[in-house]
Amino acid sequence: MPDWTIPDNLQELVDADEGGIWEDARWEPVLLSVMGSTSYGGRDIPLAWQVEFQPEGELFAAPNAKIAALGLEPDGYGWATLIRSVFTKYHPEVSDELQFGDTESATCVVWVESESSCRLLMQVVWSLIHGS
């Protein structure tokens, strides 16, 4: 797993981007994005931390077979269900932070409101994809 290194000037980078997003592709096939000026449930969220990936291709052959064996569809929704389950098992104290509203069949999208929760989320997602 790549080192978790977030720029010290992250807020400045987000603010300077036209779309208000900073992205880190070092986690490929997972894209890490940090978005500013977000609101959810009537609350302003200074930075939303998101991971997203498309569960397809050779890299996903083995993990998708395991997901199917669990009775889940190996698509974005199946992955979201698995991630929620594993995250809740190992990190119940922050599992209510997981948001899956942008997930669709082709893409699993999960976001949280803090860097620390996103780091845990990335560890879970990475281990599920890479089997470690």
Side-chain angles (χ1 to χ4, degrees):
M1 189 168 106
D3 288 335
W4 184 265
T5 52
I6 303 300
D8 291 334
N9 63 339
L10 179 61
Q11 186 69 59
E12 292 174 26
L13 296 171
V14 170
D15 292 343
D17 182 73
E18 186 176 310
I21 299 173
W22 174 81
E23 295 181 335
D24 187 350
R26 292 177 305 125
W27 305 89
E28 192 175 341
V30 180
L31 177 63
L32 170 63
S33 302
V34 181
M35 299 161 286
S37 302
T38 302
S39 63
Y40 179 75
R43 294 181 301 109
D44 289 335
I45 301 168
L47 294 174
W49 298 75
Q50 176 177 289
V51 299
E52 111 180 50
F53 61 94
Q54 297 176 334
E56 59 185 26
E58 188 176 320
L59 177 62
F60 284 91
N64 280 345
K66 289 179 183 178
I67 286 177
L70 294 171
L72 299 171
E73 287 293 322
D75 63 5
Y77 298 115
W79 273 89
T81 299
L82 181 63
I83 290 166
R84 179 184 303 279
S85 175
V86 172
F87 195 88
T88 299
K89 179 179 179 179
Y90 292 102
H91 308 290
E93 70 284 359
V94 291
S95 64
D96 60 340
E97 293 184 36
L98 299 178
Q99 301 294 329
F100 294 92
D102 292 329
T103 291
E104 54 189 43
S105 182
T107 308
C108 183
V109 180
V110 190
W111 67 272
V112 294
E113 296 183 30
S114 71
E115 179 181 352
S116 60
S117 293
C118 190
R119 186 176 187 168
L120 294 172
L121 173 61
M122 185 64 84
Q123 290 170 351
V124 167
V125 169
W126 191 264
S127 68
L128 291 171
I129 293 171
H130 296 282
S132 54

